[in-house]
Amino acid sequence: MAAGKDTNPVEITDRDADWHRFLKTRYKKGLDELSREYPHSRSLYINYRDIESFGKTGTELADELLENPGKVIGDIKDSIRTHRLVKTRKKDEQPDIHVRFINLPRKIAIREIRSEHIGKFISVEGILRKTTEVRPRITLAVFRCPAGHRTVKAQTYGPFAEPDGCQADGCTQKKLELIPRFSKFVDSQKLRIQESPEGLRGGEQPQTIDLDVTDDICGIVAPGDRIVVNGILRSMQRSSYGSKSTIFDIYLECNSIEVAEKEFEEVNISEEDEKEIIALSNDPNIYRKISHSIAPTIYGVDDVKDAIALQLFGGIAKEMPDGSRLRGDIHVLLIGDPGIAKSQMLRYVVRLSPRAIYTSGQSTTSAGLTATAVKDEFGDGRWTLEAGALVLADMGVACVDEMDKMEKHDRSALHEAMEQQSISVAKAGITATLKSRCALLGAANPKYGRFDDFVPIGDQINMPPSLLSRFDLLFVLADKPEHERDLAIAEHIIKAHSVGELIAQHNREPIPGVDEEYITEQLKPVTPEIDPAMFRKYVAYAKRTCFPRLSDEAREELIAYYMKLRDLADANKPVPVTARQLEAIVRLAEASARIRLSSVIEKSDAERVITIIDTCLRQVAYDPSSGTFDIDILATGVSKSKRDLIRTLKQVIRDIADENGRAHKPDVIELVRQQGFDRDEVERQLTAMLRSGEAMEPKHDIVKLI
């Protein structure tokens, strides 16, 4: 035993020397910087990889850090103090600095944290859901008794601990008062992180863990950020109504926070994957393959699938020198008759995108989409911010189904999120701006449940024009009977169902003659050409590495198309297309080049995108009465011809009215009709004016403007 006693102190002094050697060789620059900046900068950041690579000793030190972090952090601080590695301006002052570790090799999922991790150094990744304000917390409390003696008591995280009585000799005073002036405080903040939605299966509830953050790393992150937290797992005993429980709560004593700014880092791409991705990108049929890999069980709607493929890859967000930002995300809206598999499309996109959130309009509020201020026990009864769906979908796709069923004021929350890509919150004394750089894929039904061919499309979409104009692409999916197409759809659906039945039956009791090959062959029509897992990696890889530039031919092609549409306008005709559409075309062209992982946007990309935009404009902005495109239908909800009609109607009523302002209705209709308007259209517009209160009908067939 004596030998053991001798070696123990040596072990401790050895560690001190090891850390001193490590810091002197690897972190001399960092320590010098700390000496200069102290007390404004109080943290020394040590990269875990640097410790590991410090020879044999380094491996031991790294292992010891993970197993016994409290001792190691104490050792490093002792080493810095003993060898005066940080020199302050005041000669005899002992600097109080923090040692923080980053870049740990293994991250533990929140749902996999177990009792054996208590007291160990772990790294956890997730999305920040809630934060409290930064508030001072007492770490060293100084008490005074009536006789004037002072007692010092150290405080830890959790309930406030008071001494039993005065500690001075011979003093029996029990009643002590706290003196805040001599006590020591530190900034503290509480955070709650939730595991990333990417890794969740089916209906799992995402799990959360609370973090205790102190001193100079307080207040550096906001709700919605994706962060990696390194720290020591601590436990705290639960107590209810004064009785202590045997169950303990866990929290993470935060040592360092790394903001995961690298997009899609959570999608691991191996070297084999990279080779496969590059091989795929060189395939001449890559566009067909990608659009066929999106919802293969849905037959047809190829133009929509092409658009969704472009949306998944996205354009490039540009940061301008003046600080403004041009969005790169592409917003798509599908408006269609019931039963055309819109929701299924959205569900499939959630599976394919590396980051996606699905919400349905009926049950969605503006607070759930943006951010809420909540008052609960998490912030000890104070207000805390909780991030909503659009913030959680940052850098991904937000799928909003049933957009027409949303409340009007809830829908207005989307305006800022779509164009400025941020969400401003001013609630309960909290003002904050959260990032929501996500592409929006919306689905909606026409106002009357189905499309009516005889009513202008703008009247059938139950959404404000200001919101519609923010979508880069609008698809109108009308369900029109068409013999050949209907037959193909029927065969496709029946085939998908019958193969499903076959597999279910075969799993229960094997059917003779049915083997894996047969099933694979039968499943061919509904099997995606690119496996969903591979597809996600492909999208993540493209977004990470590919930033294409416009070639001169593509630039000319896009400008020519834009000018062709603009030139349709003259003094009497409407404005056919606005600059917003041109921006949309550029974004789509960037996405088209990204699909091939190309660094140049070529003429073929421009042509492909112009075809898609043309299809959309023909469906949505075509004004059949004038035979031209009219973006006003979309931008204001009223087409140019309709505005002309209203103006003419009012003018005619004024012209033929008597001194009381009354005019004979049939005369008005006849005079307006003579100016080249359709009789039914005039009657419909007059009825609308009467209904909206612009005109009134004091007697039968008499109209008067109000």
Side-chain angles (χ1 to χ4, degrees):
M1 275 310 284
K5 275 184 182 172
D6 287 343
T7 53
N8 213 6
V10 176
E11 180 74 12
I12 292 168
T13 51
D14 249 353
R15 278 285 171 258
D16 184 53
D18 287 343
W19 281 116
H20 178 223
R21 210 169 73 248
F22 170 75
L23 292 169
K24 281 297 264 187
T25 48
R26 295 284 172 91
Y27 282 89
K28 190 163 184 349
K29 196 175 168 192
L31 290 162
D32 292 347
E33 211 167 284
L34 259 183
S35 302
R36 281 198 307 278
E37 302 279 333
Y38 188 82
H40 299 295
S41 142
R42 297 187 293 283
S43 291
L44 174 69
Y45 282 92
I46 296 179
N47 192 330
Y48 182 86
R49 303 280 157 89
D50 288 348
I51 308 177
E52 262 187 330
S53 60
F54 191 64
K56 186 167 178 279
T57 326
T59 317
E60 286 174 19
L61 294 177
D63 289 347
E64 194 181 5
L65 168 67
L66 297 179
E67 285 303 311
N68 198 346
K71 173 183 175 293
V72 170
I73 291 171
D75 286 350
I76 298 176
K77 285 185 179 176
D78 288 345
S79 177
I80 290 173
R81 226 170 266 137
T82 318
H83 301 282
R84 287 194 63 76
L85 294 175
V86 175
K87 300 172 185 66
T88 55
R89 292 192 181 121
K90 294 175 189 164
K91 285 282 177 281
D92 52 348
E93 184 187 16
Q94 281 289 9
D96 179 20
I97 67 166
H98 303 285
V99 181
R100 306 199 185 282
F101 299 93
I102 53 170
N103 210 351
L104 262 74
R106 226 183 111 237
K107 295 182 183 68
I108 292 180
I110 295 175
R111 62 176 61 240
E112 283 166 15
I113 294 176
R114 298 288 178 264
S115 54
E116 73 250 21
H117 294 125
I118 292 175
K120 303 280 197 304
F121 201 82
I122 62 170
S123 180
V124 177
E125 185 177 23
I127 303 179
L128 193 54
R129 279 311 297 258
K130 295 187 187 181
T131 61
T132 63
E133 315 99 296
V134 180
R135 286 284 177 265
R137 183 166 84 219
I138 197 162
T139 54
L140 207 67
V142 177
F143 296 91
R144 185 171 54 198
C145 76
H149 303 127
R150 283 195 187 159
T151 305
V152 178
K153 178 103 176 164
Q155 302 289 332
T156 56
Y157 180 77
F160 182 63
E162 295 195 47
D164 301 331
C166 182
Q167 308 285 317
D169 292 341
C171 183
T172 55
Q173 291 289 347
K174 290 275 186 239
K175 199 164 183 235
L176 308 179
E177 70 165 316
L178 175 72
I179 329 170
R181 199 158 62 98
F182 295 112
S183 301
K184 200 172 163 201
F185 291 89
V186 67
D187 288 332
S188 88
Q189 186 183 25
K190 223 169 130 183
L191 312 177
R192 177 171 288 173
I193 61 168
Q194 171 187 310
E195 53 192 340
S196 302
E198 290 86 54
L200 294 183
R201 296 192 306 271
E204 284 179 335
Q205 193 75 22
Q207 295 194 5
T208 59
I209 188 169
D210 289 354
L211 318 174
D212 172 38
V213 183
T214 54
D215 208 15
D216 55 348
I217 53 170
C218 286
I220 59 170
V221 283
D225 286 352
R226 286 170 187 256
I227 57 175
V228 176
V229 183
N230 309 307
I232 305 167
L233 191 70
R234 302 282 189 206
S235 59
M236 203 169 74
Q237 194 164 16
R238 278 187 196 174
S239 64
S240 55
Y241 307 113
S243 63
K244 291 185 175 176
S245 165
T246 53
I247 292 179
F248 281 63
D249 284 319
I250 52 169
Y251 67 93
L252 199 62
E253 189 183 289
C254 184
N255 176 273
S256 67
I257 296 177
E258 301 167 61
V259 179
E261 259 307 300
K262 294 187 187 74
E263 282 82 67
F264 311 114
E265 267 319 286
E266 66 269 9
V267 181
N268 295 318
I269 298 173
S270 64
E271 284 180 17
E272 291 83 53
D273 290 339
E274 197 169 332
K275 280 179 192 154
E276 196 178 328
I277 288 169
I278 290 166
L280 262 177
S281 71
N282 294 326
D283 186 331
N285 292 333
I286 180 67
Y287 291 99
R288 192 186 59 79
K289 275 193 171 176
I290 280 190
S291 65
H292 280 209
S293 302
I294 296 172
T297 46
I298 301 169
Y299 181 84
V301 289
D302 290 334
D303 49 351
V304 177
K305 290 183 181 180
D306 289 341
I308 288 176
L310 293 173
Q311 182 183 31
L312 285 171
F313 283 85
I316 301 164
K318 293 109 182 156
E319 301 285 346
M320 292 300 165
D322 65 348
S324 62
R325 185 173 182 278
L326 299 176
R327 72 176 162 97
D329 294 307
I330 296 162
H331 302 314
V332 180
L333 178 64
L334 313 176
I335 303 167
D337 290 333
I340 232 161
K342 296 185 297 295
S343 303
Q344 193 131 349
M345 282 276 203
L346 267 61
R347 289 269 181 210
Y348 208 87
V349 169
V350 173
R351 282 183 55 200
L352 288 181
S353 172
R355 286 181 186 174
I357 300 261
Y358 176 91
T359 66
S360 181
Q362 191 89 49
S363 54
T364 304
T365 63
S366 56
L369 279 175
T370 54
T372 21
V374 213
K375 203 172 191 176
D376 57 9
E377 80 294 337
F378 171 70
D380 304 324
R382 289 197 300 269
W383 289 98
T384 55
L385 260 192
E386 195 169 327
L390 291 176
V391 181
L392 296 183
D394 187 29
M395 303 308 302
V397 181
C399 298
V400 185
D401 205 353
E402 307 284 357
M403 280 182 83
D404 53 317
K405 312 279 189 305
M406 281 171 76
E407 294 292 323
K408 203 172 178 182
H409 61 272
D410 292 336
R411 222 170 1 199
S412 63
L414 295 168
H415 285 221
E416 184 195 358
M418 286 175 73
E419 201 56 57
Q420 275 70 44
Q421 301 226 294
S422 64
I423 284 168
S424 308
V425 180
K427 295 178 181 175
I430 300 170
T431 33
T433 302
L434 310 173
K435 294 188 182 83
S436 70
R437 297 159 298 184
C438 61
L440 196 93
L441 175 59
N445 286 346
K447 196 185 278 186
Y448 310 114
R450 270 186 180 278
F451 276 113
D452 183 344
D453 288 351
F454 304 103
V455 179
I457 204 122
D459 297 349
Q460 301 193 53
I461 301 170
N462 189 18
M463 287 168 86
S466 54
L467 189 62
L468 289 178
S469 72
R470 281 175 164 77
F471 283 101
D472 299 325
L473 293 173
L474 277 123
F475 284 98
V476 173
L477 306 169
D479 189 5
K480 293 206 177 93
E482 192 182 303
H483 185 78
E484 282 168 21
R485 186 167 146 269
D486 293 346
L487 184 65
I489 290 176
E491 283 177 352
H492 184 80
I493 291 172
I494 298 292
K495 184 146 195 169
H497 278 272
S498 62
V499 176
E501 291 160 0
L502 179 82
I503 294 170
Q505 201 173 11
H506 182 66
N507 288 347
R508 181 84 197 278
E509 47 187 74
I511 304 167
V514 172
D515 56 4
E516 288 298 316
E517 274 179 37
Y518 178 75
I519 289 177
T520 313
E521 187 58 40
Q522 290 296 310
L523 276 174
K524 267 233 167 91
V526 291
T527 309
E529 297 200 18
I530 303 170
D531 180 60
M534 189 65 212
F535 196 103
R536 284 173 66 147
K537 288 178 181 174
Y538 192 98
V539 173
Y541 184 82
K543 285 198 159 190
R544 238 189 263 179
T545 58
C546 182
F547 298 96
R549 275 195 349 264
L550 270 169
S551 68
D552 292 343
E553 298 90 50
R555 185 183 288 125
E556 282 162 19
E557 188 81 14
L558 295 181
I559 292 174
Y561 176 67
Y562 178 64
M563 291 315 293
K564 187 181 96 183
L565 287 178
R566 287 295 288 187
D567 292 343
L568 290 174
D570 56 37
N572 300 322
K573 283 190 183 167
V575 178
V577 165
T578 58
R580 241 185 196 160
Q581 272 70 35
L582 181 61
E583 285 197 349
I585 298 172
V586 175
R587 278 193 285 272
L588 289 161
E590 288 164 358
S592 174
R594 257 186 176 174
I595 290 180
R596 298 198 310 277
L597 299 183
S598 160
S599 58
V600 179
I601 301 168
E602 290 164 10
K603 192 176 176 187
S604 58
D605 295 312
E607 286 166 352
R608 178 176 300 105
V609 168
I610 286 169
T611 315
I612 293 178
I613 290 265
D614 222 38
T615 316
C616 286
L617 284 178
R618 263 177 218 292
Q619 288 178 327
V620 185
Y622 187 69
D623 185 3
S625 58
S626 62
T628 56
F629 287 125
D630 179 1
I631 208 72
D632 283 1
I633 299 179
L634 205 59
T636 61
V638 181
S639 69
K640 169 87 165 46
S641 54
K642 197 167 171 186
R643 271 206 304 274
D644 291 345
L645 173 57
I646 295 168
R647 194 170 60 242
T648 314
L649 255 175
K650 287 184 175 176
Q651 194 55 51
V652 167
I653 294 173
R654 285 194 198 100
D655 289 348
I656 67 165
D658 57 13
E659 63 275 4
N660 296 329
R662 299 175 177 203
H664 196 232
K665 196 171 168 184
D667 294 350
V668 173
I669 293 171
E670 186 54 37
L671 280 167
V672 175
R673 198 186 63 75
Q674 285 170 13
Q675 296 194 25
F677 291 100
D678 181 54
R679 187 186 189 93
D680 292 346
E681 193 64 38
V682 178
E683 284 180 358
R684 196 181 301 142
Q685 191 54 51
L686 199 52
T687 314
M689 281 169 71
L690 291 168
R691 200 182 304 135
S692 66
E694 288 178 81
M696 60 185 272
E697 197 169 7
K699 284 187 192 162
H700 179 61
D701 270 357
I702 300 287
V703 282
K704 178 184 176 181
L705 288 178
I706 293 173

